[in-house]
Amino acid sequence: MQEDKETSTTGVAASSSSSVPVIALRNVCKRFPGVLALDNCQFELAAGEVHALMGENGAGKSTLMKILSGVYQRDSGDILLDGKPVEITEPRQAQALGIGIIHQELNLMNHLSAAQNIFIGREPRKAMGLFIDEDELNRQAAAIFARMRLDMDPSTPVGELTVARQQMVEIAKALSFDSRVLIMDEPTAALNNAEIAELFRIIRDLQAQGVGIVYISHKMDELRQIADRVSVMRDGKYIATVPMQETSMDTIISMMVGRALDGEQRIPPDTSRNDVVLEVRGLNRGRAIRDVSFTLRKGEILGFAGLMGAGRTEVARAIFGADPLEAGEIIIHGGKAVIKSPADAVAHGIGYLSEDRKHFGLAVGMDVQANIALSSMGRFTRVGFMDQRAIREAAQMYVRQLAIKTPSVEQQARLLSGGNQQKIVIAKWLLRDCDILFFDEPTRGIDVGAKSEIYKLLDALAEQGKAIVMISSELPEVLRMSHRVLVMCEGRITGELARADATQEKIMQLATQRESAVAS
């Protein structure tokens, strides 16, 4: 009974035969200048458990895991390994204790082989230590792949592997340190469904071998499949730990955001009689874009659905002038537009929010106000000088209007959460007063609370008369937001669905309608 009492006190139910967790964090605090990032946080992980860690961006998840993996040092609190206090002051010390982390952004060298990446700096040697023993290196890597039941040649250069396979190399690297704990940060962000299934198989195999896994993700459907328990953080504080299978998603979301989110399908206004603001006819570029034609109306959110590689992003980039077209016409407000560069597109009132906001949407090293003004610098130039006061006032207006969470407009963009970075990119195009907006995967990598805010923002923009193309791989998102849905497969538009007729099943049917199947 004493053991049950202790379990209920911590709010954590052990999932292994041992009552002592392999890892326990107790009352951990971490301060950065002007910010209390972690406030008396706790976390437990049992051997052979997948423990999900959830929270909005900025909740403190990554900070807590960086303390566990030795990247940061805690200001106070305890780290227990098998019930005994340990000090972790650097990543190598965490690795020596059997704690490995697989970051969302992979840390591999493309010109080296898989085996060389796994054992870099620790290679087996021969001839009195003068030469690397490549045969032994490959043998040891192959043994780890065998443990993972992974069919991969250890001598393959990492640059020739898919992102999913590169991720497997990262996992193998962590296992090469005899890791008992693996921290996975958004591991499926760049994977397709088949690759996710393979990752989950490996995770379950590692579970069976007693490895404890911390799984950080915003994807609720994945967590249902793979997680035993979920711990929720909010604003740098620990909220609760609950069993995954016995807890509703609404409950978890409410814990994450501190409020209930409106998940109901809204009924958008009818836009079918609104003016056509954009029409494209017969766009072609190799096999990426094949005879694509569609219209977009004022105040409409037009959803673009399809599988990876269907050509949706290629169409958006071509219309925006980022990639050349071989044929086709672009008509804006009834007049033919010649768009050969992004500058031409912007001049015609088109804005494009890339799916890769950090590389193509933001200058992450610049501050918030500079990013917001980036596409409108001409209006802030006075006789050759920048009007910094006007830039600051404009940025502050959009920070208030879009509820961007930032200490000030002088804060560097890289220090903000993904959801707030996305809002900065939106603010940039609103300041430019674009009336046609392409949103490419607008909620990728952001949490449910920020998603809800982005949805409300898109609705508000449409109500103001902005015409929006929303490209998304999340079918519930497409169905929730779109007035109409266009579906693409292999560079072609394979169908159009009215909102009332659109279902996930119909979209997937059109998304897999390959040309050979159509012809037969």
Side-chain angles (χ1 to χ4, degrees):
M1 286 300 292
Q2 181 64 26
E3 184 177 304
D4 291 340
K5 183 178 178 181
E6 289 175 359
T7 299
S8 63
T9 301
T10 62
V12 176
S15 64
S16 70
S17 58
S18 170
S19 60
V20 178
V22 61
I23 283 290
L25 300 170
R26 301 270 190 251
N27 302 318
V28 172
C29 294
K30 179 64 180 177
R31 291 174 179 83
F32 296 106
V35 178
L36 180 58
L38 296 176
D39 184 5
N40 287 305
C41 288
Q42 61 175 303
F43 183 81
E44 287 190 354
L45 178 70
E49 173 190 30
V50 176
H51 194 147
L53 184 58
M54 297 191 71
E56 294 188 87
N57 287 340
K61 309 182 300 294
S62 295
T63 302
L64 190 65
M65 290 301 103
K66 284 179 179 178
I67 285 174
L68 180 57
S69 59
V71 177
Y72 294 156
Q73 282 72 55
R74 68 196 186 281
D75 294 325
S76 60
D78 298 304
I79 303 175
L80 306 178
L81 180 66
D82 296 325
K84 299 176 183 177
V86 293
E87 291 295 325
I88 303 177
T89 58
E90 61 174 1
R92 286 186 181 181
Q93 194 171 6
Q95 290 171 341
L97 291 171
I99 300 168
I101 184 167
I102 292 97
H103 296 282
Q104 184 175 353
E105 295 177 0
L106 302 179
N107 185 26
L108 297 171
M109 297 186 183
N110 287 343
H111 65 287
L112 297 181
S113 71
Q116 289 166 340
N117 270 280
I118 291 169
F119 292 104
I120 190 165
R122 303 174 292 132
E123 299 89 348
R125 294 185 173 270
K126 61 184 178 180
M128 300 178 65
L130 296 176
F131 301 101
I132 294 174
D133 189 339
E134 294 288 351
D135 291 339
E136 178 62 15
L137 184 74
N138 289 330
R139 189 195 66 76
Q140 291 183 19
I144 298 173
F145 290 155
R147 176 185 173 188
M148 298 167 64
R149 291 199 293 143
L150 184 64
D151 182 16
M152 186 187 297
D153 183 351
S155 64
T156 304
V158 159
E160 296 179 7
L161 300 175
T162 64
V163 172
R165 291 260 148 169
Q166 289 179 5
Q167 197 165 58
M168 302 307 177
V169 173
E170 283 278 26
I171 294 172
K173 186 198 295 186
L175 293 177
S176 73
F177 289 94
D178 293 325
S179 294
R180 302 170 57 202
V181 174
L182 276 184
I183 303 165
M184 296 186 173
D185 189 358
E186 296 287 355
T188 64
L191 307 188
N192 61 35
N193 289 340
E195 291 165 341
I196 291 171
E198 177 71 0
L199 175 65
F200 283 3
R201 180 195 64 73
I202 288 174
I203 288 174
R204 292 188 181 102
D205 283 351
L206 295 176
Q207 274 187 278
Q209 297 167 30
V211 177
I213 294 168
V214 184
Y215 194 98
I216 301 174
S217 178
H218 297 307
K219 298 182 179 179
M220 300 288 187
D221 55 333
E222 288 183 8
L223 297 177
R224 275 282 186 235
Q225 296 179 57
I226 202 68
D228 300 305
R229 292 186 293 166
V230 56
S231 286
V232 178
M233 297 180 67
R234 184 173 73 240
D235 298 330
K237 296 179 181 178
Y238 167 81
I239 302 301
T241 298
V242 293
M244 188 75 235
Q245 299 304 321
E246 299 169 24
T247 309
S248 72
M249 286 302 164
D250 287 344
T251 299
I252 293 172
I253 291 171
S254 181
M255 288 192 293
M256 287 172 60
V257 302
R259 65 191 186 277
L261 294 180
D262 178 15
E264 294 184 3
Q265 291 280 80
R266 89 249 195 273
I267 302 174
D270 181 15
T271 59
S272 61
R273 298 179 184 274
N274 292 6
D275 293 340
V276 172
V277 295
L278 172 68
E279 181 179 3
V280 300
R281 300 174 182 167
L283 299 189
N284 279 282
R285 185 168 66 82
R287 296 189 63 82
I289 304 173
R290 301 158 69 190
D291 196 27
V292 167
S293 302
F294 66 90
T295 59
L296 176 67
R297 296 180 180 274
K298 182 177 181 179
E300 179 182 33
I301 300 177
L302 177 63
F304 261 65
L307 302 176
M308 288 179 65
R312 298 165 300 162
T313 294
E314 287 79 0
V315 168
R317 285 178 56 84
I319 294 171
F320 190 63
D323 296 325
L325 280 168
E326 294 170 0
E329 290 183 323
I330 299 172
I331 298 161
I332 299 174
H333 298 297
K336 185 175 179 180
V338 178
I339 298 176
K340 295 186 177 180
S341 69
D344 292 338
V346 173
H348 281 94
I350 301 176
Y352 174 51
L353 288 85
S354 168
E355 62 178 326
D356 189 350
R357 58 179 171 265
K358 287 188 178 179
H359 286 101
F360 301 115
L362 283 172
V364 292
M366 297 173 69
D367 59 24
V368 171
Q369 61 187 354
N371 271 282
I372 290 175
L374 210 53
S375 293
S376 308
M377 284 299 186
R379 76 166 63 177
F380 297 110
T381 303
R382 306 284 186 271
V383 290
F385 294 94
M386 299 304 300
D387 187 342
Q388 293 297 336
R389 180 178 177 180
I391 290 174
R392 183 168 58 255
E393 288 175 353
Q396 288 171 338
M397 180 186 73
Y398 282 107
V399 164
R400 289 192 300 270
Q401 183 177 324
L402 303 184
I404 300 172
K405 294 178 183 176
T406 178
S408 74
V409 293
E410 284 83 24
Q411 178 80 309
Q412 281 195 344
R414 67 180 179 83
L415 299 175
L416 301 186
S417 69
N420 287 301
Q421 289 178 348
Q422 188 71 301
K423 289 181 182 180
I424 291 171
V425 182
I426 294 170
K428 175 176 72 174
W429 294 118
L430 293 183
L431 177 60
R432 180 72 197 198
D433 199 26
C434 294
D435 53 11
I436 300 169
L437 294 166
F438 283 80
F439 285 77
D440 197 346
E441 303 288 359
T443 65
R444 174 171 288 173
I446 65 178
D447 57 70
V448 289
K451 276 187 179 184
S452 180
E453 292 180 1
I454 295 293
Y455 295 157
K456 290 176 182 177
L457 181 56
L458 291 181
D459 282 338
L461 292 174
E463 287 172 9
Q464 294 169 22
K466 304 292 185 185
I468 296 169
V469 172
M470 187 188 74
I471 299 167
S472 177
S473 299
E474 297 188 27
L475 294 187
E477 180 170 271
V478 171
L479 293 170
R480 182 186 190 278
M481 296 302 300
S482 306
H483 295 83
R484 284 184 298 141
V485 180
L486 295 181
V487 187
M488 291 190 68
C489 179
E490 296 183 342
R492 299 173 300 109
I493 291 178
T494 51
E496 176 182 324
L497 296 169
R499 178 187 176 84
D501 300 327
T503 65
Q504 293 197 37
E505 291 75 19
K506 287 180 179 178
I507 290 174
M508 285 305 297
Q509 207 169 32
L510 291 168
T512 54
Q513 192 172 344
R514 304 182 64 202
E515 191 170 38
S516 57
V518 174
S520 60

